[in-house]
Amino acid sequence: MPADFAKLLREKGIQPSAQRLAVAEYVLFTKEHPSADQVWAKVRAVCPVLSRATVYNTLNLFVKKKLLRELVLSEGKVVFDPKMEAHHHFIDEHTGRIEDVPWNAISVSRVSGLKGYDVREYMVVMRGRTRRKSC
Amino acid sequence: MPADFAKLLREKGIQPSAQRLAVAEYVLFTKEHPSADQVWAKVRAVCPVLSRATVYNTLNLFVKKKLLRELVLSEGKVVFDPKMEAHHHFIDEHTGRIEDVPWNAISVSRVSGLKGYDVREYMVVMRGRTRRKSC
DNA sequence: TCGTAGTTTAGACATAGTCTAAGTTTGTCG
DNA sequence: CGACAAACTTAGACTATGTCTAAACTACGA
């Protein structure tokens, strides 16, 4: 955990304001996977002068500057998939379109040997762009 | 595509109402990955007597009865992860808690050979229960 | 026909996230 | 220092997604 968060932010091209430092101190080193509102709650306990909009702005900024990763499958929505057999998913980065990838196209090993977890199901989620002609 | 949707629903223990049939006809055989409101829009075009609540109820019922799968990483929210190196994720089915799984714990092959896709990044998403003592 | 369980409905409510317009802070340059 | 501009923060309005409720409707067996 760095002593100097301001320096860390500056290195990424982010102006280190008090609010951003408070958010950074919590979110950059947590082991939890907090939602934006959870971040807001945590940081407000330390730094009460902090609006919700700033937390959202700051988190999005951190994601853009590669300090954080956003974990989400589709673009903020729950989607439904009628294909009940196991399969993988590919998400087109430009369009957000989700495509099914057949189970056998990819092989994954050592899942069942994972220590500490009973894995009931799994899938590979890929992101990138489609190389199709017709689209 | 089955001729008799009513029979299909009854086999799963679902009373086949007109609304449920209309939803089933669209959602069980689409290649899209529609959100709930997209389903509503599509089905309402065919069957205008259909409320939003019924669509949500029906979709959730179909998921419970294993006709559909819900594609979502965390429980409907975007969460943030400060770990920027590639890694996988395990989601505890009971608590919804997300844990990081080291990249080397699992091996995935043939991703880069996928026809038609430029995969820029990928991860394995697992679901199940944690077998830890302390929790 | 009646009663009941199951289903559907509109709309209120809740939560997640974005946007805006105004106010505050910060950095720069004379 | 002083003032200006750019960057940042704010409250609250707004949109979208999803849940809940109470009332109305429907199907169906006794």
Side-chain angles (χ1 to χ4, degrees):
Chain A
M1 182 149 159
D4 193 347
F5 280 93
K7 185 158 161 265
L8 175 63
L9 295 191
R10 258 190 234 99
E11 280 167 5
K12 294 280 184 173
I14 300 170
Q15 203 178 102
S17 69
Q19 288 88 342
R20 285 170 180 174
L21 283 172
V23 171
E25 279 178 35
Y26 167 61
V27 85
L28 295 188
F29 295 92
T30 181
K31 288 272 177 251
E32 308 165 31
H33 291 79
S35 69
D37 275 7
Q38 284 169 337
V39 173
W40 188 34
K42 281 275 186 180
V43 180
R44 229 183 346 168
V46 178
C47 163
V49 209
L50 179 69
S51 76
R52 214 164 71 98
T54 297
V55 172
Y56 277 87
N57 288 340
T58 301
L59 291 173
N60 290 333
L61 180 65
F62 284 3
V63 169
K64 203 168 64 185
K65 298 292 189 178
K66 312 276 189 216
L67 281 167
L68 279 184
R69 179 197 293 269
E70 223 179 16
L71 271 194
V72 62
L73 245 192
S74 70
E75 303 313 297
K77 297 180 197 167
V78 176
V79 300
F80 296 91
D81 190 340
K83 196 167 168 177
M84 291 300 290
E85 320 96 77
H87 59 287
H88 306 294
H89 289 95
F90 178 88
I91 304 174
D92 185 287
E93 290 186 314
H94 290 296
T95 62
R97 186 184 157 81
I98 301 172
E99 301 202 21
D100 296 333
V101 174
W103 188 252
N104 292 325
I106 291 175
S107 79
V108 179
S109 49
R110 301 212 294 279
V111 166
S112 57
L114 263 191
K115 291 273 177 291
Y117 301 106
D118 268 334
V119 176
R120 200 178 53 69
E121 62 170 23
Y122 64 91
M123 66 169 94
V124 178
V125 179
M126 289 154 279
R127 283 165 195 278
R129 46 179 92 177
T130 57
R131 222 190 289 138
R132 297 280 173 73
K133 287 118 198 171
S134 64
C135 185
Chain B
M1 180 149 159
D4 194 347
F5 280 92
K7 186 159 160 262
L8 175 62
L9 295 190
R10 258 188 236 101
E11 280 167 6
K12 293 281 182 171
I14 300 170
Q15 205 177 102
S17 69
Q19 288 89 340
R20 285 169 179 175
L21 283 172
V23 171
E25 279 178 35
Y26 167 61
V27 85
L28 295 187
F29 296 92
T30 181
K31 288 271 177 253
E32 308 165 31
H33 291 80
S35 69
D37 275 9
Q38 285 170 337
V39 173
W40 188 35
K42 281 275 186 183
V43 179
R44 227 181 350 166
V46 179
C47 165
V49 210
L50 179 68
S51 76
R52 214 164 69 97
T54 298
V55 173
Y56 277 88
N57 288 341
T58 302
L59 290 173
N60 290 333
L61 180 66
F62 285 2
V63 169
K64 202 168 65 185
K65 297 294 189 176
K66 312 276 189 217
L67 281 166
L68 280 183
R69 178 198 296 266
E70 224 179 12
L71 272 193
V72 64
L73 246 191
S74 69
E75 304 311 299
K77 296 181 201 168
V78 177
V79 300
F80 296 91
D81 189 341
K83 194 168 168 176
M84 291 298 292
E85 320 98 76
H87 59 286
H88 305 293
H89 288 96
F90 177 88
I91 305 174
D92 186 287
E93 290 186 314
H94 289 296
T95 62
R97 186 183 156 82
I98 301 172
E99 302 202 20
D100 296 333
V101 175
W103 188 253
N104 292 326
I106 290 176
S107 79
V108 179
S109 49
R110 300 211 294 279
V111 166
S112 56
L114 264 191
K115 289 274 177 290
Y117 301 106
D118 268 334
V119 176
R120 200 178 53 69
E121 61 170 24
Y122 64 92
M123 67 168 90
V124 178
V125 178
M126 288 154 279
R127 283 165 195 278
R129 45 178 95 178
T130 58
R131 223 190 289 137
R132 299 278 172 74
K133 286 117 199 172
S134 62
C135 186

